[in-house]
Amino acid sequence: MVAKKRQITGSVISSGIVLGTSRIVWQGEVEIAELPIAASKVRAEIAHLHRAVQETVTELKELRDSAGEKMGGTIAKIFDAQLMIAEDAEFLKQVEAEVLKQRRNVGFVYSRMIQETVRPLVSSNDVYLRQMATDIEAVSSRVLAILSGSEKCDLKFAPNTILIGKSFTPGDIISYRQRKAVGFVVSKGGLNSHMALIARALMLPVILAPEGWDQIPGNCRIVLDGTTGEVIVDPSDDDWTKFQKKKRKHGPSTLTKIKRLTNFPPVTQDGRTVGIGANLSLSGPADALLASREIPVGLYRTEFLYLSYGGFPDEQVQYEYYSQIGQLFGQAPVVIRTFDLGYDKLSTHNIWPDEENPALGWRGIRPMLEMTELFKTQIRAILRASTEGSFRIMLPMISDLGELELAKKMINQVKLSLKKKKIRFDEEIQIGIMVEVPSAALMADRLAESADFLSIGTNDLTQYALAADRLNNKVARLYNSLHPSVLQLIKLTVKACKKHGKPVSICGEVAGDSLAVPLFIGMGVDLLSINPNRIVDICRLISRIDSERARTLAESVLESGSIKEVKDRLTTFSLAIAKK
């Protein structure tokens, strides 16, 4: 019987293209029956629990140390949180008490009490509490596997194994990668989950497919297209060949491609240098290589610090983290964005209000301007670390001049405080803003007077300009950063920066779109900050572009009245480049 190809459309958690063989992994599915035990066996049951917990603690410490070596101390903090859960003395005492009281086997009692603990967390509106539930389940599944005797199953993967499961813990991602797994399909998780952050740091493709994931059979050919979110099950030979070509087109691994990169920064055919930077969220295997090639960081997101600590880390923790970044990148500029937090993606911690529409609510710079001490703590840490490298500070989601001036006032207060204490910092550190709200683009002329640089965040700018949630599949067809209205907002921002002699960059996903790059060069954008896996391809593309022809292209495109017109003109230009 010939297998029939099926296609499942999910969302990209971590990008990349892989082809391989599926393998089903059922985590946390251990069932332990309820069994009565004699009074004489109770102590033995409790001892069994402590042995299982100790084995789990040992394994988690090994994973933490491995993560620390490969990805830095901040990633390792995820495992510190799980260690605290595993060693929760109060919870373990409660389990012991229930075993003594009920005279039931410890595995059953432990499992039931974990379920009671997790149930309200899973249904919480608080993202932090839902992440805590995931961590508790990750720890308990290890303990239960040991208690049930099923932990001895040593999974040995064939080359190019793609794992399918409900979810994978950070430890799973690390250990399965060591066993040569190349990609994952999951039914649970999100862009800001610990699993997702580690997968991206390790450059492992992950696709979230809540519908259809459980219909994927084991031991079948499968393709994960982490550029589109497609999962192809039992692809035809033609499809297999097509995706092999697509993967080859993307070239070898990001690290290999960056190692081979020549002539950086890229120069157009007519001699114009175009800035290229990297978007980073946390420490990963590419960082040292980017630093060695003196590739700047156009956007360094700091939210992972919050995620890994389950709250706002203190000044010293942040200072040490930023110092490591500065020491690594040296004099290559690193643009550090201050916390871009909101109820929709991080913990409330009794701070965030319950919002019906978080995307339009208390997020970005807004909460930081009210939680002044938290904001100043981050600024102090960045300033103290600024002597270690070449830092710039970027403020997210500025919507008017008042917000920028208030933020700058607070930064100046921190500077004055450090001077009084004779603490060194870069007194000339630049302060820039992200243009991701239409009002900021419309006010770009005034904002460019006050800011040292502007960076256009096209992801949010697009969704706000088009009133189309970029994570909502129902309006996905409306969300397009090449919409003429979005391009006009970009034009306004670039024009304002040119008028005031301020640098302007684009740091949204479209900055790495081969179709759009000639347009942005023609519009006069100074720097494109992109995912590291796009750097080499975009550099090569820029070397084939004539900037004067790109300027003519931009004039034409900016007269377009529809996305189709924009794409048609960009495609024609792209095809002409390809023929050279």
Side-chain angles (χ1 to χ4, degrees), residues 82-100:
Q82 292 190 359
L83 279 164
M84 289 179 64
I85 292 168
E87 297 176 307
D88 186 342
E90 186 60 35
F91 179 76
L92 294 175
K93 283 181 183 178
Q94 293 175 17
V95 175
E96 291 177 21
E98 284 298 303
V99 172
L100 283 166

mmCIF file of all heavy atoms in Angstrom, residues 82-100:
data_model
loop_
_atom_site.group_PDB
_atom_site.id
_atom_site.type_symbol
_atom_site.label_atom_id
_atom_site.label_comp_id
_atom_site.label_asym_id
_atom_site.label_seq_id
_atom_site.Cartn_x
_atom_site.Cartn_y
_atom_site.Cartn_z
ATOM 1 N N GLN A 82 13.917 24.130 38.038
ATOM 2 C CA GLN A 82 13.420 22.756 38.135
ATOM 3 C C GLN A 82 14.033 22.032 39.331
ATOM 4 O O GLN A 82 13.378 21.196 39.963
ATOM 5 C CB GLN A 82 13.704 22.014 36.827
ATOM 6 C CG GLN A 82 12.900 22.546 35.654
ATOM 7 C CD GLN A 82 12.978 21.673 34.421
ATOM 8 O OE1 GLN A 82 13.651 20.652 34.404
ATOM 9 N NE2 GLN A 82 12.278 22.075 33.372
ATOM 10 N N LEU A 83 15.268 22.348 39.654
ATOM 11 C CA LEU A 83 15.899 21.748 40.832
ATOM 12 C C LEU A 83 15.170 22.159 42.107
ATOM 13 O O LEU A 83 14.983 21.344 43.021
ATOM 14 C CB LEU A 83 17.368 22.163 40.903
ATOM 15 C CG LEU A 83 18.322 21.371 40.008
ATOM 16 C CD1 LEU A 83 19.655 22.099 39.861
ATOM 17 C CD2 LEU A 83 18.540 19.971 40.582
ATOM 18 N N MET A 84 14.754 23.414 42.179
ATOM 19 C CA MET A 84 14.001 23.873 43.349
ATOM 20 C C MET A 84 12.698 23.108 43.483
ATOM 21 O O MET A 84 12.270 22.756 44.597
ATOM 22 C CB MET A 84 13.731 25.376 43.236
ATOM 23 C CG MET A 84 14.964 26.247 43.413
ATOM 24 S SD MET A 84 14.589 28.018 43.237
ATOM 25 C CE MET A 84 13.497 28.262 44.640
ATOM 26 N N ILE A 85 12.053 22.834 42.345
ATOM 27 C CA ILE A 85 10.802 22.066 42.366
ATOM 28 C C ILE A 85 11.077 20.639 42.836
ATOM 29 O O ILE A 85 10.364 20.097 43.693
ATOM 30 C CB ILE A 85 10.157 22.064 40.968
ATOM 31 C CG1 ILE A 85 9.672 23.472 40.602
ATOM 32 C CG2 ILE A 85 9.009 21.058 40.900
ATOM 33 C CD1 ILE A 85 9.284 23.646 39.143
ATOM 34 N N ALA A 86 12.109 20.022 42.277
ATOM 35 C CA ALA A 86 12.421 18.632 42.626
ATOM 36 C C ALA A 86 12.749 18.479 44.103
ATOM 37 O O ALA A 86 12.391 17.476 44.738
ATOM 38 C CB ALA A 86 13.590 18.133 41.780
ATOM 39 N N GLU A 87 13.428 19.482 44.669
ATOM 40 C CA GLU A 87 13.889 19.393 46.062
ATOM 41 C C GLU A 87 12.946 20.080 47.039
ATOM 42 O O GLU A 87 13.328 20.335 48.183
ATOM 43 C CB GLU A 87 15.282 20.014 46.160
ATOM 44 C CG GLU A 87 16.346 19.278 45.340
ATOM 45 C CD GLU A 87 17.692 19.969 45.378
ATOM 46 O OE1 GLU A 87 17.724 21.186 45.072
ATOM 47 O OE2 GLU A 87 18.690 19.316 45.705
ATOM 48 N N ASP A 88 11.722 20.370 46.620
ATOM 49 C CA ASP A 88 10.754 21.062 47.478
ATOM 50 C C ASP A 88 10.459 20.206 48.712
ATOM 51 O O ASP A 88 9.640 19.283 48.676
ATOM 52 C CB ASP A 88 9.471 21.337 46.700
ATOM 53 C CG ASP A 88 8.478 22.189 47.481
ATOM 54 O OD1 ASP A 88 8.622 22.285 48.713
ATOM 55 O OD2 ASP A 88 7.569 22.749 46.861
ATOM 56 N N ALA A 89 11.131 20.528 49.820
ATOM 57 C CA ALA A 89 11.023 19.711 51.032
ATOM 58 C C ALA A 89 9.599 19.675 51.574
ATOM 59 O O ALA A 89 9.129 18.637 52.058
ATOM 60 C CB ALA A 89 11.986 20.246 52.095
ATOM 61 N N GLU A 90 8.905 20.812 51.514
ATOM 62 C CA GLU A 90 7.541 20.869 52.056
ATOM 63 C C GLU A 90 6.606 19.943 51.286
ATOM 64 O O GLU A 90 5.799 19.209 51.873
ATOM 65 C CB GLU A 90 7.031 22.310 51.998
ATOM 66 C CG GLU A 90 5.682 22.514 52.672
ATOM 67 C CD GLU A 90 5.688 22.146 54.142
ATOM 68 O OE1 GLU A 90 6.721 22.368 54.815
ATOM 69 O OE2 GLU A 90 4.659 21.599 54.612
ATOM 70 N N PHE A 91 6.718 19.952 49.960
ATOM 71 C CA PHE A 91 5.865 19.079 49.144
ATOM 72 C C PHE A 91 6.187 17.607 49.414
ATOM 73 O O PHE A 91 5.285 16.773 49.552
ATOM 74 C CB PHE A 91 6.042 19.386 47.659
ATOM 75 C CG PHE A 91 5.223 18.510 46.754
ATOM 76 C CD1 PHE A 91 3.859 18.721 46.614
ATOM 77 C CD2 PHE A 91 5.807 17.465 46.063
ATOM 78 C CE1 PHE A 91 3.086 17.907 45.792
ATOM 79 C CE2 PHE A 91 5.052 16.652 45.234
ATOM 80 C CZ PHE A 91 3.683 16.865 45.099
ATOM 81 N N LEU A 92 7.469 17.280 49.516
ATOM 82 C CA LEU A 92 7.857 15.897 49.762
ATOM 83 C C LEU A 92 7.365 15.415 51.127
ATOM 84 O O LEU A 92 6.957 14.255 51.282
ATOM 85 C CB LEU A 92 9.373 15.750 49.664
ATOM 86 C CG LEU A 92 9.971 15.980 48.260
ATOM 87 C CD1 LEU A 92 11.488 15.930 48.303
ATOM 88 C CD2 LEU A 92 9.435 14.956 47.261
ATOM 89 N N LYS A 93 7.363 16.315 52.121
ATOM 90 C CA LYS A 93 6.810 15.954 53.440
ATOM 91 C C LYS A 93 5.326 15.636 53.340
ATOM 92 O O LYS A 93 4.815 14.718 53.992
ATOM 93 C CB LYS A 93 7.026 17.109 54.425
ATOM 94 C CG LYS A 93 8.445 17.219 54.958
ATOM 95 C CD LYS A 93 8.547 18.373 55.940
ATOM 96 C CE LYS A 93 9.975 18.542 56.440
ATOM 97 N NZ LYS A 93 10.084 19.700 57.370
ATOM 98 N N GLN A 94 4.621 16.412 52.514
ATOM 99 C CA GLN A 94 3.180 16.165 52.323
ATOM 100 C C GLN A 94 2.944 14.811 51.659
ATOM 101 O O GLN A 94 2.011 14.089 52.020
ATOM 102 C CB GLN A 94 2.569 17.283 51.490
ATOM 103 C CG GLN A 94 2.545 18.640 52.176
ATOM 104 C CD GLN A 94 2.048 19.751 51.261
ATOM 105 O OE1 GLN A 94 1.426 19.496 50.236
ATOM 106 N NE2 GLN A 94 2.329 20.986 51.635
ATOM 107 N N VAL A 95 3.788 14.457 50.698
ATOM 108 C CA VAL A 95 3.673 13.153 50.047
ATOM 109 C C VAL A 95 3.918 12.043 51.071
ATOM 110 O O VAL A 95 3.158 11.058 51.153
ATOM 111 C CB VAL A 95 4.668 13.023 48.877
ATOM 112 C CG1 VAL A 95 4.627 11.605 48.297
ATOM 113 C CG2 VAL A 95 4.355 14.040 47.796
ATOM 114 N N GLU A 96 4.950 12.202 51.883
ATOM 115 C CA GLU A 96 5.254 11.209 52.917
ATOM 116 C C GLU A 96 4.070 11.037 53.868
ATOM 117 O O GLU A 96 3.697 9.906 54.233
ATOM 118 C CB GLU A 96 6.491 11.636 53.715
ATOM 119 C CG GLU A 96 7.795 11.579 52.944
ATOM 120 C CD GLU A 96 8.964 12.097 53.777
ATOM 121 O OE1 GLU A 96 8.837 12.119 55.019
ATOM 122 O OE2 GLU A 96 9.986 12.474 53.192
ATOM 123 N N ALA A 97 3.493 12.168 54.274
ATOM 124 C CA ALA A 97 2.367 12.116 55.214
ATOM 125 C C ALA A 97 1.183 11.365 54.617
ATOM 126 O O ALA A 97 0.509 10.582 55.316
ATOM 127 C CB ALA A 97 1.951 13.533 55.612
ATOM 128 N N GLU A 98 0.934 11.597 53.316
ATOM 129 C CA GLU A 98 -0.183 10.909 52.654
ATOM 130 C C GLU A 98 0.089 9.411 52.522
ATOM 131 O O GLU A 98 -0.822 8.592 52.658
ATOM 132 C CB GLU A 98 -0.433 11.520 51.284
ATOM 133 C CG GLU A 98 -1.144 12.860 51.312
ATOM 134 C CD GLU A 98 -2.533 12.758 51.936
ATOM 135 O OE1 GLU A 98 -3.355 11.961 51.443
ATOM 136 O OE2 GLU A 98 -2.780 13.454 52.935
ATOM 137 N N VAL A 99 1.334 9.045 52.250
ATOM 138 C CA VAL A 99 1.673 7.621 52.165
ATOM 139 C C VAL A 99 1.455 6.949 53.518
ATOM 140 O O VAL A 99 0.883 5.853 53.600
ATOM 141 C CB VAL A 99 3.143 7.434 51.698
ATOM 142 C CG1 VAL A 99 3.560 5.960 51.793
ATOM 143 C CG2 VAL A 99 3.300 7.930 50.267
ATOM 144 N N LEU A 100 1.874 7.611 54.583
ATOM 145 C CA LEU A 100 1.681 7.075 55.940
ATOM 146 C C LEU A 100 0.208 6.967 56.291
ATOM 147 O O LEU A 100 -0.252 5.978 56.878
ATOM 148 C CB LEU A 100 2.380 7.984 56.958
ATOM 149 C CG LEU A 100 3.907 7.849 57.059
ATOM 150 C CD1 LEU A 100 4.489 9.028 57.822
ATOM 151 C CD2 LEU A 100 4.257 6.536 57.764
#
